[in-house]
Amino acid sequence: MRKPAGPHMEHSGERFTVTVDYGLEEYKQFVRDFLPQYLESRHGNRNRYWPWNWPVTEKAMMFILVPLIFKWKKSKVGVCEFTFSKSGLTRRSRSGSAYRSWDQVPRVHELSTAYLIELDSGGAMPLPYRVLTESQRALFDSFAARAG
């Protein structure tokens, strides 16, 4: 994730910090939830004649490709600590610290088990609902309204 100018983000006002240790099954769920949205936004309605959309291809991807990507990402990033405020977000992980202001977040998607924080650099960060208290989730919603 590209870092904005300056050595770190100053989080002002209300803020909260959560720690996320992702699991393979929840990572698969992020992919199941978001991939159809992503493909539709790129290619329009899903064409079942396109091999990528065949059910057998989707199952193979979930069984082979997604676990490999997850293992690679987990070894690179590990456990993440996120801090959120009205200024933006900070993620601290094995690979270092990264910062984003909310205007560098084009969109926050609400999936079945997580928020997916879309980044202007083309990446994304999932934030599982399971790590948030009810009050943190309400605060996150108010911060995420600044996205875009």
Side-chain angles (χ1 to χ4, degrees):
M1 179 160 68
R2 183 174 46 94
K3 298 175 187 173
H8 66 282
M9 171 173 283
E10 291 294 329
H11 288 281
S12 59
E14 287 187 280
R15 74 192 82 169
F16 68 91
T17 299
V18 293
T19 301
V20 181
D21 187 6
Y22 299 104
L24 175 58
E25 291 308 311
E26 79 180 336
Y27 190 80
K28 285 180 178 181
Q29 189 62 50
F30 304 152
V31 174
R32 277 188 207 98
D33 288 348
F34 188 66
L35 189 60
Q37 294 176 33
Y38 174 78
L39 290 174
E40 188 171 324
S41 73
R42 297 285 185 197
H43 306 289
N45 290 332
R46 294 178 69 168
N47 179 346
R48 282 287 173 194
Y49 294 106
W50 189 37
W52 181 258
N53 290 324
W54 293 352
V56 68
T57 305
E58 292 173 4
K59 286 179 183 176
M61 181 187 73
M62 286 297 175
F63 186 73
I64 299 167
L65 186 60
V66 171
L68 290 173
I69 292 169
F70 175 77
K71 187 173 182 174
W72 174 77
K73 287 182 77 81
K74 185 88 169 171
S75 70
K76 181 180 171 189
V77 177
V79 174
C80 297
E81 180 186 88
F82 290 96
T83 299
F84 298 97
S85 71
K86 69 179 182 179
S87 304
L89 61 104
T90 300
R91 183 191 74 189
R92 289 177 187 81
S93 68
R94 182 179 295 149
S95 59
S97 293
Y99 325 98
R100 280 286 189 276
S101 64
W102 288 111
D103 63 350
Q104 294 173 302
V105 175
R107 188 167 173 206
V108 175
H109 303 269
E110 291 187 51
L111 306 179
S112 67
T113 61
Y115 292 104
L116 188 65
I117 304 165
E118 191 176 319
L119 306 174
D120 62 352
S121 60
M125 294 184 288
L127 177 63
Y129 301 141
R130 67 177 170 78
V131 303
L132 301 170
T133 65
E134 193 174 310
S135 61
Q136 287 172 330
R137 192 162 174 182
L139 198 53
F140 180 83
D141 287 340
S142 72
F143 297 155
R146 299 170 177 265

